[in-house]
Amino acid sequence: MILTKDNYFSKEADMEYMSVSQWKLFYECEAKALATIQEKESATFKEAFLEGQLFEAIVSGDEKLFIAQHPELISSRGATAGQLKANFIKVANAAEKFNSQKFFTDIVEKCEKQVILTAEFCDVKVKCAIDLFDKMTNSIYDIKCMKDFKEQWNKEEKAYEPWYYVYGYVLQLAVYREIVKQNFGNPLEIGLIAATKEDSPDIQALSFSNDLLDLEFEKFKSKIKRYDLIKKGFVEPIQCGCCDYCKSIKNIKEFEVIK
């Protein structure tokens, strides 16, 4: 299957290829991830997804076209009728703050947007759509619009950690690096550039050491084969027992003995 912008988020593409977002779903709960992939017919345009897409459209200069294609962004009632809904106004303000930084806009201007690439690791096909890619230097830039930059609770580690770890963005860049290496060679630069949706938007530009990216990629590789086998029906998924999906399919057949 040849991936395009039209079929990248399709069920067929998700069945044939692993992605970082898919991997993270499996890492959170294998049972829920499998159900999500099997039931999905097309991209799910949830509010958070739309917010991210709007942010990228404004940063890339495609704001008018994107809004025209997504009328659900616009309020249809009350005093705000015809204007962006409140949550999307915050996204627009974050993008405005982002675009006020010459360091950021210089990166955007020299890069191609939403570059789709594929690679293969551990006999598993992997796909990615890189936000910003500089083909002259193989440099990779991921852009994010966050609620804030506060530390987040990591359930696995039982501790607060930086937002970019908890949300898996370092792992994401580690996988992108390896995909680019397979296709073109070593990237010169790898960066995460972000703005927040706070009343007074904040901005950050982060890069990560090769040692740290190596560790995250090893974590990705350690699970990818199992997740692919689950997706193909060769391995039974494990239920986490805590997510909404697991609770929805819960079926009690006997007493749980407490000692």
Side-chain angles (χ1 to χ4, degrees), residues 100-238:
S100 72
Q101 301 297 303
K102 187 176 184 300
F103 179 74
F104 291 169
T105 56
D106 284 348
I107 290 173
V108 173
E109 288 175 4
K110 71 179 180 180
C111 290
E112 294 187 31
K113 284 75 175 176
Q114 293 299 313
V115 176
I116 295 172
L117 295 174
T118 62
E120 190 169 305
F121 308 113
C122 305
D123 298 320
V124 177
K125 292 181 180 180
V126 180
K127 63 175 181 173
C128 75
I130 301 174
D131 289 341
L132 301 170
F133 182 57
D134 181 3
K135 282 192 173 179
M136 296 295 293
T137 62
N138 299 335
S139 295
I140 302 163
Y141 306 97
D142 198 31
I143 59 176
K144 298 297 180 188
C145 184
M146 307 300 300
K147 178 183 177 182
D148 54 50
F149 293 144
K150 295 177 182 176
E151 290 190 337
Q152 301 296 312
W153 181 253
N154 186 327
K155 292 185 291 184
E156 185 180 8
E157 299 296 332
K158 295 182 174 59
Y160 281 97
E161 293 187 335
W163 60 275
Y164 43 83
Y165 283 121
V166 178
Y167 293 127
Y169 298 145
V170 184
L171 182 141
Q172 180 176 325
L173 285 171
V175 175
Y176 286 5
R177 180 189 66 170
E178 297 305 314
I179 292 176
V180 167
K181 283 168 69 173
Q182 272 200 23
N183 284 273
F184 303 109
N186 286 312
L188 176 66
E189 191 169 51
I190 301 172
L192 177 62
I193 47 181
T196 68
K197 295 177 285 186
E198 297 169 291
D199 292 337
S200 180
D202 197 3
I203 46 178
Q204 281 190 1
L206 306 168
S207 64
F208 306 96
S209 70
N210 282 323
D211 288 343
L212 184 56
L213 293 172
D214 288 343
L215 285 173
E216 290 295 294
F217 185 63
E218 288 304 314
K219 178 180 177 180
F220 178 81
K221 285 200 303 180
S222 71
K223 301 284 186 180
I224 189 174
K225 190 65 178 180
R226 172 179 173 82
Y227 295 162
D228 189 57
L229 291 173
I230 291 171
K231 190 165 60 171
K232 292 175 179 176
F234 295 112
V235 174
E236 282 295 313
I238 296 173

Side-chain angles (χ1 to χ4, degrees), residues 51 54-55 58-59 63 84-101 144-146 194-203:
E51 288 180 4
L54 175 62
F55 183 78
I58 297 174
V59 167
E63 176 184 2
L84 284 173
K85 294 177 181 176
N87 58 314
F88 296 118
I89 289 176
K90 289 186 175 181
V91 173
N93 291 339
E96 183 179 348
K97 179 69 173 181
F98 183 100
N99 286 336
S100 72
Q101 301 297 303
K144 298 297 180 188
C145 184
M146 307 300 300
T196 68
K197 295 177 285 186
E198 297 169 291
D199 292 337
S200 180
D202 197 3
I203 46 178

